[in-house]
Amino acid sequence: MDRAFCRNDGTPLDGRTNQRGQDPGLRRQRLAGWRPRIPWKRVLTIAGIVSAVIGAALLTPLVIRTVNDHFSDPAPLPPAAVSASNADAAHPAQAAFDGVSNSWWGTGYSGDSAGQYLQANYGRPVELEKMIITPGVSRQVEDRSQARPERLDVLLTDARGRTALMHYALADGGVQVVDAHMDDVVQVDMIVRSAYGTAENKQVAIAEVEMFGRS
């Protein structure tokens, strides 16, 4: 005799339910509507950690350089070689880099000498930060025996051939500091664009150029 109910728990045995009393059709509906549960909080946490690690790796060199720049003073960077577009025979380009301010480079031309330049070359890439320029024939502001550069362009070239052009307006005499920051510099060109105190019997003079940074 066929049983109509389960001997253990009394569940109807009419063929429409399984042994656990669940309707197979209902179970199929539940399975059809099932979707995997994605732990979004955990995914976002992991993504944040990965982004932080990558960001730290990219920023580390910049942080190190910033700390070094803040806590250490730039050192003198004497060039390996210097030259000029033109020079007075008694006042060569080397006179502007000899460490003394009572000798000077003269363009050898009267007038404003626009386009004449000094050039400094390094045997290896350096990190340039600033330049100290003494226009005229000495540190004495009142000494106006020669013309002094007024507008000066500084062209920096790095080891890859990339360039940066900076424009400066100098005061009329006296030691002056100009910012000229660039990494991997191998060449510096200082180009005269105009001058103070020009005359037929005067040439543009620069007493001293000092460069500072890190090699």
Side-chain angles (χ1 to χ4, degrees), residues 52-68:
V53 172
I54 294 175
L58 294 175
L59 288 175
T60 295
L62 178 60
V63 171
I64 292 174
R65 173 179 159 184
T66 301
V67 171
N68 288 337

Side-chain angles (χ1 to χ4, degrees), residues 127-140:
E127 180 185 337
L128 183 64
E129 291 192 13
K130 65 181 180 180
M131 301 169 57
I132 298 179
I133 299 174
T134 304
V137 299
S138 72
R139 293 177 180 268
Q140 304 302 317

